[in-house]
């Protein structure tokens, strides 16, 4: 069984990377086929690992030692398999979506596009299943390099400038993370993730320095202000890439890394009484407030969604920083639920652009009549992000609010609840515009080349309708919510009540006492 688990871990991580190479070496017509085949194999491997983990096993794979005591290895835990399942499921849908998007927009450099997309998923899964900081670091940097060509894919001046900004921020964060990992290994001799953290062995004077290095390294991809500027700029990329950045790989790797730093590197014991979590709470709360205000001012659809991402990523990091079991549970929930809602919204934005060539919110008047399925999915994704009961966002925001109460962070609760109102203010007017405003002539003209009432082609519609359905399923179906709760609460339980290895001592057997002395010995024990 252990050998089979090793194979599935290797398959899940290596299949996308191998596919990336095959795509580059194959004719263009095979690029899409390799992508879909790799996505399906990766999903099957990940589902098998999920089933194995749910059965009570802990799949592990040691690849190699870089130096004695420091190696590349993988280990499946509740947090990792949650991220892995999210990335694997959404990759299948994003690949199908890309088929339609590439055709409608006549996208060039298709082999490079699909190869980098696959490599990004492979890096994300490597991050998800890393058992230590060094493995995490290697795949974290690989993710930066794999996504850069996607950001600059259009090769316009705007795209190249966005790519440079992305590289500057991402590599700067990677440098901080690298220094932090090396320093940690130098002083502790271990970088293995552990539920509840392992930094309690450290000199207390070093904890703030290493926290700044490690948390700062992952906070860049989590787009916490003022480290967020790369994210709105990267919206120049094709819409499937935007969906990848916002829902599947890059920013989710950032918030996943923040949870690893808080729960599995430092832990509540190391941070107890420290001002560091409070500083992060202030930073994330500020990001939520300012990001919401900026989102209200955006007239471009993708940029409004980008600032919405900035806001909701800070929900996840804020939950981890409050260091309460319910808040950590809510963070794990929101990592998944935000991914489902946000990829739905970006799929819809891409379908609108590919079909009607519209990018501004003011241009969407009456579009709901021309593209009812697309705008219906957009409405569901918006309600999910707002946190309406029955949608997935409600569940995660409920646990985050309950966690704020548990941590006695009432101001943070107020910020999160207020931001939900702002989410409604910057998303629901888009729905109103599409359904109730009179359509402009430009909409009629632009959408007329599709005979089925101006709707997006089937390859675009199926993925966005599927993710919209998942927004409802993950908020309404008890079985799904219970499984998700088991994973999320399992993560929190490990962080705040970490398992302890029983101490076993081996004693030499004592010679038997004479019968009279045995009675005296038992009598004395009873008196004690």
């Amino acid at each position: 069984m252990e050998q089979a688990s090793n194979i599935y871990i290797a398959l899940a991580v290596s299949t996308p990377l191998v596919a990336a190479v095959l795509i580059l070496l194959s004719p263009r017509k095979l690029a899409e086929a390799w992508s879909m085949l790799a996505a399906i194999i990766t999903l099957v491997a990940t589902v098998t690992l999920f089933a194995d983990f749910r059965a009570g096993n802990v799949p592990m794979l040691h690849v190699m030692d870089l130096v004695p005591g420091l190696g590349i290895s993988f280990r499946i835990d509740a947090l990792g398999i949650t991220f892995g399942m999210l990335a694997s499921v959404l990759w299948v849908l994003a690949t199908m979506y890309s088929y339609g998007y590439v055709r409608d927009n006549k996208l060039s450099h298709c082999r490079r596009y699909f190869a980098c997309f696959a490599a990004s998923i492979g890096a994300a899964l490597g991050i998800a299943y890393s058992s230590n900081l060094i493995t995490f670091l290697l795949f974290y940097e690989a993710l930066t390099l794999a996504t850069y060509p996607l950001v600059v894919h259009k090769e316009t001046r705007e795209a190249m400038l966005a790519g440079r900004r992305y590289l500057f921020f991402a590599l700067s964060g990677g440098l901080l993370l690298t220094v932090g990992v090396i320093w940690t290994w130098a002083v502790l001799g271990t970088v293995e993730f552990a539920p509840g953290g392992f930094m309690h062995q450290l000199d207390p004077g070093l904890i703030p320095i290493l926290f700044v290095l490690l948390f700062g390294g992952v906070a860049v991809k989590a787009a916490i202000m003022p480290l967020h500027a790369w994210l709105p700029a990267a919206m120049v990329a094709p819409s499937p890439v935007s969906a990848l950045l916002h829902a599947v790989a890059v920013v989710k790797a950032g918030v996943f890394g923040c949870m690893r730093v808080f729960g599995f590197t430092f832990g509540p014991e190391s941070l107890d009484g420290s001002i560091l979590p409070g500083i992060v709470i202030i930073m994330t709360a500020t990001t939520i407030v300012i990001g919401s205000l900026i989102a209200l001012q955006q007239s471009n659809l993708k940029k409004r969604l980008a600032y919405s991402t900035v806001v909701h990523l800070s929900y996840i990091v804020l939950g981890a920083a409050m260091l309460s079991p319910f808040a950590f549970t809510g963070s794990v929930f929101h990592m998944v639920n935000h991914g489902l809602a946000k990829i739905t919204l970006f799929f819809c934005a891409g379908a609108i652009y590919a079909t009607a060539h519209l990018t501004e919110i003011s241009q969407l008047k009456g579009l709901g009549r021309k593209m009812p399925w697309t705008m219906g999915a957009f409405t569901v994704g918006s309600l999910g992000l707002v946190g309406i009961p029955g949608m997935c966002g409600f569940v995660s925001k409920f646990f985050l609010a309950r966690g704020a109460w548990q941590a006695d962070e009432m101001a943070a609760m107020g910020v999160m609840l207020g931001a939900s109102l702002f989410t409604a203010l910057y998303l629901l007017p888009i729905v109103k515009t599409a359904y109730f405003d009179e359509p402009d002539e430009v909409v009629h003209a632009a959408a007329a080349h599709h005979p089925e009432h101006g709707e997006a082609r089937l390859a675009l519609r199926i993925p966005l309708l599927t993710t919209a359905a998942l927004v409802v399923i993950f908020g309404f179906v008890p079985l799904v919510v219970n499984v998700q709760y088991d994973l999320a609460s399992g993560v929190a339980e490990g962080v705040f009540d970490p398992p302890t290895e029983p101490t076993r001592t081996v004693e030499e057997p004592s010679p038997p006492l004479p019968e009279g002395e045995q009675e005296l010995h038992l009598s004395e024990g009873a008196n004690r």
Side-chain angles (χ1 to χ4, degrees), residues 286-343:
T286 303
T287 301
I288 290 171
V289 173
I290 296 177
S292 298
L293 294 173
I294 297 175
L296 278 171
Q297 301 171 7
Q298 301 305 306
S299 59
N300 180 275
L301 179 58
K302 284 179 65 176
K303 284 196 174 181
R304 183 171 293 192
L305 297 180
Y307 278 102
S308 170
T309 297
V310 171
V311 170
H312 282 268
L313 294 175
S314 280
Y315 269 85
I316 301 170
V317 182
L318 175 59
M322 285 190 286
L323 292 177
S324 73
F326 276 114
F328 218 95
T329 300
S331 290
V332 181
F333 261 101
H334 207 55
M335 179 178 69
V336 175
N337 295 345
H338 170 262
L340 297 175
K342 188 50 63 72
I343 201 170

Side-chain angles (χ1 to χ4, degrees), residues 31-389:
E32 296 175 356
W34 282 125
S35 296
M36 183 54 76
L37 178 61
I40 292 171
I41 293 173
T42 302
L43 178 60
V44 170
T46 304
V47 169
T48 304
L49 289 171
F50 173 76
D52 196 18
F53 179 77
R54 290 278 292 170
N57 301 311
V58 183
M60 292 182 287
L61 173 63
H62 180 73
V63 179
M64 61 181 293
D65 284 321
L66 300 176
V67 295
L70 186 67
I72 300 174
S73 59
F74 303 96
R75 184 177 185 272
I76 304 300
D77 64 1
L79 182 59
I81 198 62
T82 300
F83 184 26
M85 283 290 293
L86 176 69
S88 300
V89 170
L90 295 186
W91 186 27
V92 175
L93 297 172
T95 301
M96 181 186 300
Y97 182 90
S98 292
Y99 293 173
Y101 191 89
V102 164
R103 283 165 174 73
D104 275 352
N105 290 277
K106 298 179 175 59
L107 215 62
S108 59
H109 309 296
C110 288
R111 288 190 301 170
R112 184 182 71 190
Y113 170 88
F114 281 105
C116 291
F117 214 108
S120 301
I121 298 297
L125 290 173
I127 290 169
Y129 302 148
S130 296
S131 70
N132 56 48
L133 278 169
I134 189 65
T135 309
F136 179 93
L137 171 64
L138 292 174
F139 282 96
Y140 195 79
E141 293 299 272
L143 180 61
T144 297
L145 300 178
T147 48
Y148 169 74
L150 294 172
V151 174
V152 301
H153 185 84
K154 294 182 179 179
E155 298 183 357
T156 61
R157 183 175 182 275
E158 185 183 5
M160 300 308 293
L161 290 175
R164 290 175 192 170
R165 179 177 292 187
Y166 173 60
L167 271 188
F168 172 77
F169 276 89
L171 293 180
S172 298
L175 179 61
L176 290 177
L177 190 61
T178 301
V179 174
V181 172
I182 293 172
W183 199 338
T184 301
W185 182 61
V187 296
L188 289 180
T190 181
V191 288
E192 289 290 324
F193 292 129
F198 59 88
M199 288 290 192
H200 52 273
Q201 311 169 42
L202 194 64
D203 178 357
L206 285 178
I207 286 180
I209 300 172
L210 288 176
F211 184 86
V212 169
L213 291 172
L214 296 175
F215 179 77
V218 294
V220 172
K221 281 191 171 72
I224 298 172
M225 290 182 176
L227 307 174
H228 72 292
W230 65 271
L231 187 54
M235 290 305 94
V236 68
S239 290
V241 175
S242 301
L244 173 76
L245 294 173
H246 287 255
V248 185
V250 178
V251 297
K252 287 301 182 291
V255 295
F256 177 84
C258 291
M259 286 190 278
R260 282 292 193 210
V261 168
F262 270 106
F264 296 81
T265 303
F266 288 89
E269 182 179 346
S270 299
L271 298 174
D272 184 34
S274 171
I275 64 170
L276 296 171
I279 293 173
V280 175
I281 289 173
I282 293 171
M283 290 177 64
T284 50
T286 303
T287 301
I288 290 171
V289 173
I290 296 177
S292 298
L293 294 173
I294 297 175
L296 278 171
Q297 301 171 7
Q298 301 305 306
S299 59
N300 180 275
L301 179 58
K302 284 179 65 176
K303 284 196 174 181
R304 183 171 293 192
L305 297 180
Y307 278 102
S308 170
T309 297
V310 171
V311 170
H312 282 268
L313 294 175
S314 280
Y315 269 85
I316 301 170
V317 182
L318 175 59
M322 285 190 286
L323 292 177
S324 73
F326 276 114
F328 218 95
T329 300
S331 290
V332 181
F333 261 101
H334 207 55
M335 179 178 69
V336 175
N337 295 345
H338 170 262
L340 297 175
K342 188 50 63 72
I343 201 170
T344 301
L345 296 177
F346 271 107
F347 277 173
C348 293
I352 292 168
Y353 177 76
T355 304
H357 305 291
L358 304 176
T359 58
E360 304 301 307
I361 295 170
S362 60
Q363 297 173 332
L364 305 184
K365 295 176 181 178
L367 191 66
R369 306 170 200 176
K370 288 289 183 180
M371 305 180 69
W373 290 107
T374 299
M375 288 311 304
F378 189 94
T379 303
V380 171
S382 299
L383 294 176
L385 213 56
V386 171
I388 298 297

